[in-house]
Amino acid sequence: MAQQAYMTETADGGSGPERPGSRLRRLMRRLFSGWRGDPRIWRRGIVLAVLALLLALVMLLHSHISNKVGNLGSLTETFLPWLGLAVPVLLLLGLIRKSATALIAVLLPAIVWLNLFGGLLTDKSGSGGDLMVATHNVNAENPDPPATARSVASSGAEILALEEVPGSEVPVYEKALAPTYQHHAVVGTVGLWSKYPMTDVQAVDIKLGWERAMRATVSTPKGQVAVYVAHMPSVRVKVEAGFTARQRDTSADALGEAIAEEPLKRVVLLGDLNGTMNDRSLNGVTSQMRSTQGAAGSGFGFSWPASFPMARIDQIMVRGVEPESSWTLPRTGSDHLPVAARVKLDTSS
């Protein structure tokens, strides 16, 4: 009896196993048959058309969504690329409903999404660059700090930033990274390791009351570079308060002010900013620096959570430096993926 469920009538009246493509063909016939001569294709699917229009407006006008209630605007911008998943859903529902109105309306959010993120779908990475940098939020509860340190050191990065380094684990990371990096400095819970000499190491006040950001001058073979390492305060989604990010936003503004006052021409920012490039609350930083992923990456470069990356909140940003390539590194014991980039310091040619 069970076998009969997979039998279909053949041309000669008998029955035989159903071919894999036959069910797909029947589905396609159901979706596309009955359109011609049906005047209702313009009257059906009005609700789907309205939903498509609303989706397009949210993506197009995301910067106008207020942050006064639960920082809803920033929450929307953090996961803005994922709104594109609604487009194929609406398209399929429009086909099922046989609604020409819905199908035409779905073109609007599709065009808006491609305008916003279509450039990220192409591979913009190059093979040049004279400096490789990397950053990694190692997670204070990392079960294997030595393995994490060895993993990021093996990437080949000449400058490496680590965030969320507990004070008790600093000696562990120092020991594991010592064979690769001759120079390093740790300020609070962030640290910078370099193959080149470092001077002018100092904490950067991001209005937290404790140290989670630093700056150093790194003397590379191509000249001096100001390197900033920062770990912005975490954001939370709470039922009673929504997307709580006030402290993060204050710290981002303070970091932006420090970078704006940086006297060196070439600046690199490495760190966990707890926000994406679309988040208007990071404008103090993003308005004056370029994302290496946006300029020279392939894809979105999502870095968090490591188990199923949904957002790029770990950033490499530059000013006075040309991004050549940007990518994520293999997963470690952290809940973040490390991110890396190659940049060109000598931009005279």
Side-chain angles (χ1 to χ4, degrees), residues 73-82 243 275-276 278-279 310-311 313:
S74 287
L75 178 60
T76 301
E77 289 165 339
T78 297
F79 298 102
L80 194 61
W82 291 94
F243 189 64
T276 68
N278 298 110
D279 192 335
M310 297 182 65
I313 62 176

Side-chain angles (χ1 to χ4, degrees), residues 247-264:
Q247 186 58 67
R248 189 280 310 271
D249 300 348
T250 300
S251 294
D253 289 341
L255 178 62
E257 292 174 5
I259 293 174
E261 296 172 358
E262 172 57 51
L264 291 182

Side-chain angles (χ1 to χ4, degrees), residues 87-100:
V87 172
V89 173
L90 291 172
L91 176 63
L92 178 60
L93 292 176
L95 289 172
I96 292 174
R97 288 284 292 147
K98 292 184 171 60
S99 168

Side-chain angles (χ1 to χ4, degrees), residues 33-48:
S33 64
W35 289 72
R36 182 177 299 179
D38 184 356
R40 293 178 299 172
I41 63 173
W42 298 104
R43 296 196 295 268
R44 287 193 294 258
I46 300 300
V47 173
L48 292 176

Side-chain angles (χ1 to χ4, degrees), residues 111-162:
I111 292 171
V112 173
W113 190 92
L114 287 173
N115 181 62
L116 290 173
F117 303 110
L120 294 175
L121 300 179
T122 60
D123 187 353
K124 301 177 291 296
S125 58
S127 57
D130 43 38
L131 180 70
M132 178 178 171
V133 298
T135 181
H136 189 25
N137 179 325
V138 296
N139 188 0
E141 299 178 358
N142 192 314
D144 194 351
T148 294
R150 290 191 297 268
S151 177
V152 291
S154 67
S155 67
E158 292 141 301
I159 296 176
L160 171 66
L162 299 182

Side-chain angles (χ1 to χ4, degrees), residues 162-165 170 184-193 198 201-205 210-216 229:
L162 299 182
E163 303 86 47
E164 204 170 303
V165 182
V170 169
H184 85 278
V186 176
V187 175
T189 58
V190 298
L192 185 64
W193 277 258
M198 295 166 46
V201 177
Q202 55 188 281
V204 176
D205 183 11
W210 67 95
E211 296 173 331
R212 283 186 24 167
M214 64 178 289
R215 175 222 179 269
V229 183

